[in-house]
Amino acid sequence: MSSENWLVKLRSQGYRLTDARRAVVETMAQSPRALTPADVHDLAKEQYPALGLVTVYRTLEKLEELHLVQRVHQEQGCNAYLAHADGHQHLLICESCKKAVYFEGDDLDDFFSDVGKKHNFTVKDHWLQLFGICEDCEKEK
Amino acid sequence: MSSENWLVKLRSQGYRLTDARRAVVETMAQSPRALTPADVHDLAKEQYPALGLVTVYRTLEKLEELHLVQRVHQEQGCNAYLAHADGHQHLLICESCKKAVYFEGDDLDDFFSDVGKKHNFTVKDHWLQLFGICEDCEKEK
DNA sequence: CTCCATGCAAAATATTTGCAATTCA
DNA sequence: TGAATTGCAAATATTTTGCATGGAG
């Protein structure tokens, strides 16, 4: 989804479109990897130098609420955000360059339900992430 | 694994056995759910009132290093620790009472490898967690 | 022209570090 | 006894909140 659509969605929720929000949205929409609030601040300031870190926090909060971005959990920390995929998809993350790719995992739902049954749980949700090395980083070695 | 074994393992790594560590170890070893450092502090102080929060942080760090506990990531936060299972197992967590249960997922490794191949990644590791409601909590409703 | 949004400063949290006193081995 | 460990206090790091100003609609 392009950053234009993100802006339309924000507007349709009654949020105003400001230069600060545009800078954060465009930064997030085009990033191939998950970004921390500080990362976003650094990158988006190139486009809108007056941007404050607090506004980054507040904008990410709204984008998460609208499911335009999602929080990504990693060993190094759990405060990085990535553009959200449509539907329920899972993440494959390169441990070297941090590039993130989504993949479908529909095949897994039955397996997860069975695991639940075995332990007398009703499974409501799941969370899956793969970590590895992408082709580009593999070549560089 | 009993807390006695944890103490033996700590000792075998050259760490000293103190009342503070015993209190933290026993608290972690017997907890059915993941605990934050503050949780551990509160619980372990019943056994050893002089316990400082800093010591809890430092002890959890060592226990994680020895793979006796692992960090658990959840919506509410990523700073809770749980006794580690033997081998590579995955977590099933009750969203109501927070009880955590391990399950085997050996069947999944091939699937994960295939996903990686499809995206030209060499998959090194994965994280999987299921969330649901356990039998006991289901009954209470 | 009316609020919503912003950025700053300050507050609230969470975690780590320096250090003198203590205690395990 | 000597080095590891402890708890306190203080330093960092991260995130949130209060508030006066500015800007979108």
Side-chain angles (χ1 to χ4, degrees):
Chain A
M1 201 192 285
S2 78
S3 65
E4 273 311 310
N5 291 337
W6 292 32
L7 295 171
V8 169
K9 195 155 181 183
L10 275 169
R11 193 69 201 85
S12 73
Q13 298 294 312
Y15 294 121
R16 292 182 180 174
L17 302 185
T18 63
D19 287 346
R21 284 180 181 161
R22 267 186 273 267
V24 170
V25 162
E26 279 162 33
T27 299
M28 285 307 303
Q30 70 173 48
S31 175
R33 65 181 182 89
L35 302 174
T36 64
D39 290 338
V40 175
H41 189 222
D42 287 346
L43 290 169
K45 272 211 293 197
E46 291 173 16
Q47 174 176 337
Y48 181 65
L51 181 65
L53 179 58
V54 176
T55 299
V56 173
Y57 273 95
R58 290 193 271 224
T59 304
L60 286 173
E61 188 179 29
K62 285 170 182 61
L63 296 178
E64 189 177 24
E65 178 188 308
L66 300 180
H67 300 289
L68 291 169
V69 303
Q70 72 170 124
R71 194 183 273 260
V72 174
H73 298 252
Q74 293 183 255
E75 285 295 341
Q76 312 101 53
C78 307
N79 57 340
Y81 293 82
L82 185 70
H84 207 299
D86 297 324
H88 194 137
Q89 301 208 35
H90 302 289
L91 279 176
L92 177 52
I93 297 174
C94 175
E95 289 179 322
S96 174
C97 68
K98 307 301 175 192
K99 178 172 61 194
V101 173
Y102 284 99
F103 67 91
E104 299 272 354
D106 301 334
D107 330 15
L108 296 169
D109 288 356
D110 287 344
F111 174 80
F112 293 153
S113 260
D114 287 349
V115 169
K117 271 190 201 119
K118 207 175 296 179
H119 293 89
N120 296 314
F121 271 65
T122 311
V123 174
K124 304 276 190 188
D125 198 10
H126 56 263
W127 188 62
L128 170 62
Q129 259 176 225
L130 308 187
F131 299 95
I133 303 292
C134 74
E135 197 177 22
D136 296 343
C137 291
E138 193 77 61
K139 275 181 195 158
E140 277 182 22
K141 287 192 300 195
Chain B
M1 201 193 284
S2 79
S3 64
E4 271 312 311
N5 291 336
W6 293 31
L7 294 171
V8 169
K9 195 155 180 184
L10 273 169
R11 193 69 200 83
S12 74
Q13 297 295 312
Y15 293 121
R16 291 183 179 173
L17 302 186
T18 64
D19 289 344
R21 283 180 181 161
R22 267 185 273 267
V24 170
V25 161
E26 278 162 34
T27 299
M28 285 306 304
Q30 70 175 46
S31 176
R33 66 181 180 89
L35 302 174
T36 64
D39 289 337
V40 175
H41 189 222
D42 288 346
L43 290 168
K45 272 210 295 196
E46 290 172 18
Q47 174 176 339
Y48 181 65
L51 181 64
L53 179 57
V54 176
T55 299
V56 174
Y57 274 95
R58 289 193 272 225
T59 305
L60 287 173
E61 187 180 30
K62 286 171 179 61
L63 295 179
E64 189 177 23
E65 178 189 308
L66 299 180
H67 301 288
L68 291 169
V69 302
Q70 71 170 121
R71 193 183 273 258
V72 175
H73 297 253
Q74 292 182 256
E75 285 295 339
Q76 313 101 54
C78 308
N79 57 340
Y81 293 81
L82 184 71
H84 207 299
D86 296 326
H88 195 137
Q89 301 207 36
H90 302 289
L91 280 176
L92 178 52
I93 297 174
C94 175
E95 290 180 320
S96 174
C97 69
K98 308 299 175 192
K99 178 172 61 191
V101 173
Y102 284 98
F103 68 90
E104 299 272 354
D106 301 335
D107 330 17
L108 294 169
D109 288 355
D110 288 343
F111 175 81
F112 294 152
S113 259
D114 287 349
V115 168
K117 271 190 200 121
K118 208 176 296 178
H119 293 89
N120 296 313
F121 271 67
T122 310
V123 174
K124 304 276 191 186
D125 197 10
H126 56 263
W127 276 5
L128 171 61
Q129 262 177 220
L130 307 187
F131 299 96
I133 304 291
C134 74
E135 197 176 23
D136 297 342
C137 291
E138 194 77 61
K139 276 181 196 159
E140 278 183 21
K141 288 191 300 193

